Amino acid sequence: MQFKRTISCGLVDSTLVNKTIDLCGWVHRRRDHGGLIFIDLRDRSGIMQLVFNDAFSKVAHEDAHKLRSEYVICVSGTVVERSAQTVNNEIPTGKYELQVTALTILNKAKNLPFMLEEDNVDEELRLKYRYLDLRRPEMLHRLQLRNNVFFAMREFLQKQGFYEVETPLLTKNTGEGAREFLVPSRVNQGSFYALPQSPQLYKQLLMAGGIERYFQIARCFRDEDLRADRQPEFTQLDLEMSFINEKDIQTIIENLLNHVWKMVFGKELTLPFPRITWDQALADYGSDKPDLRFDLKIKDCTSLFANTELKFLKSVLSNNGKIGAVHIEKHAFSRSELEGYVAKAQQMGAQGLVWLRLKDGVVESPIAKFLPTDFVEQIKTVFPTFAEDSTLFIVAGDYQDAWTILGRLRLQLAHDLNMIPQDEFNFSWVTDFPLFAFDKETKKWHSVNHPFTSPQDGWQTQDNSQMKARAYDVILNGVELGGGSIRIYNSEIQDKVFQILGLNKQEMQDQFGFLLEAQDLGFPPHGGIALGLDRLVMLMSNASSIREVIAFPKTARGHDPMMDAPTQVNPLKLRDYGLKLNEKLTK
Ligand code: ASP
């Protein structure tokens, strides 16, 4: 079929008045007044109004009666100015219309499973017909924004001397960190590749290869139980540099994000981003990704209860626990609201939440009768602004557990009381992470970051729980945008870290022998970072989930409703891989 396109619909402007042009696109809306038919023609760039009338072309007018929503057409015609009363100021081309002299129907469309302009279409249906969903302007805009962000990143990094290098998707199952997707090898039956959780080891080995500055917009895979806003595959900006320290990586990322903001929003960010240590972030905000758009710090009020008679608090204190509180001022909560927070804290895993408020000059609290008469005065030593209509939300327990709950409560309260500015991009760095965390269930130490993260000086003489990592996370509005670290480049240190993680010599060799060997063959000092790009674009476009900024995402249960993946595989095909399904699964 012949067709021509001289310009995109949304770009028609005054320079084209009285000119003949050719447009292609989809029938967005149609108003058939018999003698006069109006069509809104849509393409990626926007909408242009077409007018069909016998006076312009009898044939085209005749054919235009057949047009339905989402037909794909091309038209020729003359651009004219609309009369003053019919100008549409809502769209950039609203002053003009096209008097159509020729129409070709390139393709028809049946009735769509949902109308493109409909709100609240079921997400599963949107994903099943994602190509229709992508025709909506808001989806197109998000993909456009995503493209602009990626382009700006590439542009910046190229100028800074980074090489874009691809790394394999079929890689080794090392078992570090999250669970991996496995890919059976047909050629080497019984053996499996793993899809990379990140290009971590490859990028370190690129530093061993002398690349010095690497980046990649990398796809990563994690076979985790999917939580609300996770995807089994996601995209990272991954980078690595040699002969640098923490500050160099952080500065590159600050300047990179600043460049992205300039190119996408025409705005500069305030640099450098504030830094807060992991210890401080936990103490003040109960989180390793504190939302710093509002203050509302957690305060330690253990001292107020030093002589308490309350059994629960007494036992917390005798187990070296702590008591912390969030102080909300000048707000009269109702009883049911307060009870609601108690229930929420319990859902968050708190054994209990105690509220305490000053109302009509009297302390009200479920524990009021256990408090000394001068308790308000005592409170003021910790919360100097405690006054009428002040409420304390108090949680007691193991320090890290209690503070994590207080951190979540802080967010919930700020959200409920509209304390969070909505039009702000608030960046910060969290630094000095612990190197290891103890897993109470497996009774093993694991790396807070990953096992290749360099310990900070002094670690040789410290307990595992005290050791700090040369690791840093970049936070945007309380969301972890990315994280990285300075790496171990010395095989002795690497060996010791693996030992703390419980690997014996054989396991080290089997899983990481190649790395230990590389570290003995002239490995330069290096470090890097990775930024979650789905999250970044989500925050930049104010989208409600990362699925909104990914062209073809999976559902929250890891399913692709469009292609219907994953699917079963013919058992004969499995035989080629030396695999057989267990009987329960073949039924
Ligand atoms: N590989 C790490 C991650 O994916 C990032 C890094 O350390 O560079 O989170």
Side-chain angles (χ1 to χ4, degrees), residues 257-310:
L257 288 168
N258 192 38
H259 180 72
V260 168
W261 251 250
K262 259 196 299 201
M263 300 311 284
V264 174
F265 295 134
K267 281 192 191 148
E268 303 241 5
L269 299 172
T270 311
L271 304 184
F273 302 157
R275 275 135 171 96
I276 176 169
T277 63
W278 185 91
D279 285 339
Q280 200 62 45
L282 182 65
D284 289 346
Y285 306 104
S287 170
D288 58 4
K289 38 181 181 294
D291 191 337
L292 302 180
R293 285 176 295 174
F294 60 100
D295 198 30
L296 198 62
K297 290 194 180 82
I298 300 167
K299 287 250 175 101
D300 185 341
C301 54
T302 312
S303 61
L304 297 180
F305 297 93
N307 302 317
T308 185
E309 286 307 316
L310 270 152

Side-chain angles (χ1 to χ4, degrees), residues 467-481:
M467 295 175 189
K468 294 280 187 223
R470 296 182 67 184
Y472 34 79
D473 275 2
V474 58
I475 312 298
L476 170 54
N477 294 354
V479 175
E480 180 197 326
L481 205 56

Side-chain angles (χ1 to χ4, degrees), residues 213-278:
R213 289 183 168 213
Y214 141 93
F215 85 97
Q216 178 179 197
I217 293 185
R219 194 61 63 83
C220 306
F221 304 85
R222 293 185 191 171
D223 188 10
E224 286 171 308
D225 294 336
L226 298 168
R227 275 186 266 140
D229 212 14
R230 286 274 171 93
Q231 285 282 306
E233 51 181 308
F234 56 93
T235 307
Q236 280 189 347
L237 173 73
D238 193 47
L239 65 83
E240 197 75 8
M241 301 165 80
S242 295
F243 310 113
I244 44 80
N245 59 38
E246 289 86 333
K247 186 90 196 319
D248 297 304
I249 303 276
Q250 292 165 1
T251 304
I252 282 280
I253 292 298
E254 287 170 350
N255 290 331
L256 168 101
L257 288 168
N258 192 38
H259 180 72
V260 168
W261 251 250
K262 259 196 299 201
M263 300 311 284
V264 174
F265 295 134
K267 281 192 191 148
E268 303 241 5
L269 299 172
T270 311
L271 304 184
F273 302 157
R275 275 135 171 96
I276 176 169
T277 63
W278 185 91

Side-chain angles (χ1 to χ4, degrees), residues 406-457:
L406 284 163
R408 291 175 63 187
L409 204 64
R410 166 184 180 266
L411 289 178
Q412 184 74 50
L413 286 161
H415 172 266
D416 296 350
L417 303 178
N418 283 327
M419 294 167 77
I420 311 178
Q422 289 303 312
D423 49 3
E424 204 179 291
F425 290 110
N426 186 309
F427 288 95
S428 59
W429 289 104
V430 173
T431 63
D432 305 274
F433 278 68
L435 189 61
F436 300 112
F438 190 67
D439 188 325
K440 288 178 195 156
E441 267 168 40
T442 58
K443 304 218 167 4
K444 277 188 177 169
W445 291 96
H446 63 86
S447 301
V448 168
N449 199 254
H450 49 59
F452 322 113
T453 304
S454 173
Q456 292 189 6
D457 284 350

Side-chain angles (χ1 to χ4, degrees), residues 66-188:
K66 299 180 205 149
L67 296 178
R68 297 289 174 268
S69 279
E70 298 306 303
Y71 273 33
V72 187
I73 62 174
C74 81
V75 289
S76 284
T78 313
V79 178
V80 297
E81 279 179 343
R82 296 197 207 179
S83 65
Q85 314 88 287
T86 57
V87 164
N88 175 359
N89 288 317
E90 307 276 299
I91 54 171
T93 63
K95 284 198 190 123
Y96 317 102
E97 59 192 15
L98 189 77
Q99 297 182 339
V100 179
T101 51
L103 161 68
T104 310
I105 297 179
L106 299 172
N107 212 347
K108 294 182 183 175
K110 293 184 182 162
N111 281 343
L112 264 44
F114 56 86
M115 299 301 291
L116 300 190
E117 283 174 318
E118 210 174 310
D119 287 330
N120 301 323
V121 180
D122 174 56
E123 196 183 11
E124 187 101 11
L125 191 65
R126 286 176 57 202
L127 293 182
K128 183 163 163 65
Y129 297 98
R130 187 58 150 189
Y131 47 90
L132 297 180
D133 194 39
L134 291 178
R135 289 183 200 166
R136 299 159 178 263
E138 68 265 28
M139 291 306 292
L140 275 175
H141 288 152
R142 289 189 194 124
L143 289 190
Q144 183 188 36
L145 179 86
R146 189 176 172 112
N147 167 69
N148 294 347
V149 169
F150 285 25
F151 180 76
M153 288 183 163
R154 286 203 159 97
E155 184 181 48
F156 174 85
L157 291 168
Q158 293 286 352
K159 284 208 183 107
Q160 296 290 324
F162 285 79
Y163 289 175
E164 184 167 5
V165 184
E166 297 148 272
T167 53
L169 291 186
L170 294 178
T171 170
K172 181 182 167 76
N173 165 24
T174 57
E176 105 246 11
R179 186 181 292 143
E180 292 158 325
F181 281 98
L182 296 176
V183 182
S185 166
R186 184 185 54 80
V187 181
N188 307 287

